[in-house]
Amino acid sequence: MADHAPLPIFPAPVQAESARSQRHRAGIHRASGAVPRLIAGICAGVLVVSALWYLLQLRQPSSALVIRQSSPVAAVSHAGPPQGVVLVTVSRGDTLWAVSALHRPDGIDQGQWVREVVRYNDMPSDAIFAGQVIAIPKYK
């Protein structure tokens, strides 16, 4: 018998297991198909609608209405505080200029009167929104 060196023993090549089969063997299944896409679409839609609703609520005026007893323009143009207040609910397309012009006392410049109404209602600007209630001072 011839002296032969023993043949090296190499382990049989192992086939690599795919990530999918590893997850399947471990019991981890990733949902696939139309249902998860539908759920993700619904969630995204709800998120967008919620964000828009929030932004629209920011644009709405506060429900608190501050009515002053006297005003600088009234003190200059009229003797004493207003005789009353006219509450006007703003409609779509109304402007403060047009709404206040309907109740402007004689002898007051329209621009000055709009500024007075803005100050009287503690508004940050002359922008108004549909549904907003504006208090307009009433003089004789």
Side-chain angles (χ1 to χ4, degrees):
M1 261 193 16
D3 232 351
H4 292 281
L7 293 173
I9 301 176
F10 294 106
V14 177
Q15 240 180 355
E17 193 173 13
S18 71
R20 182 176 179 190
S21 61
Q22 287 175 355
R23 285 193 307 270
H24 183 72
R25 190 169 37 84
I28 303 170
H29 300 286
R30 183 174 55 182
S32 62
V35 174
R37 286 192 298 270
L38 176 66
I39 292 172
I42 291 171
C43 291
V46 168
L47 182 64
V48 167
V49 168
S50 298
L52 288 174
W53 179 260
Y54 176 75
L55 291 174
L56 287 174
Q57 293 301 316
L58 289 178
R59 288 186 51 122
Q60 296 296 323
S62 67
S63 60
L65 181 64
V66 177
I67 299 177
R68 295 182 182 175
Q69 295 300 320
S70 63
S71 65
V73 175
V76 172
S77 304
H78 300 279
Q83 311 307 320
V85 174
V86 177
L87 296 178
V88 177
T89 302
V90 177
S91 299
R92 185 174 181 212
D94 283 347
T95 64
L96 187 58
W97 188 275
V99 170
S100 63
L102 296 174
H103 305 283
R104 179 175 52 97
D106 294 332
I108 296 182
D109 176 65
Q110 179 62 24
Q112 184 182 13
W113 181 242
V114 169
R115 287 189 297 277
E116 166 59 16
V117 172
V118 167
R119 277 193 298 267
Y120 195 81
N121 288 279
D122 285 332
M123 298 166 59
S125 71
D126 63 350
I128 57 175
F129 305 96
Q132 181 178 1
V133 177
I134 299 172
I136 299 181
K138 185 176 175 183
Y139 299 99
K140 287 185 178 181

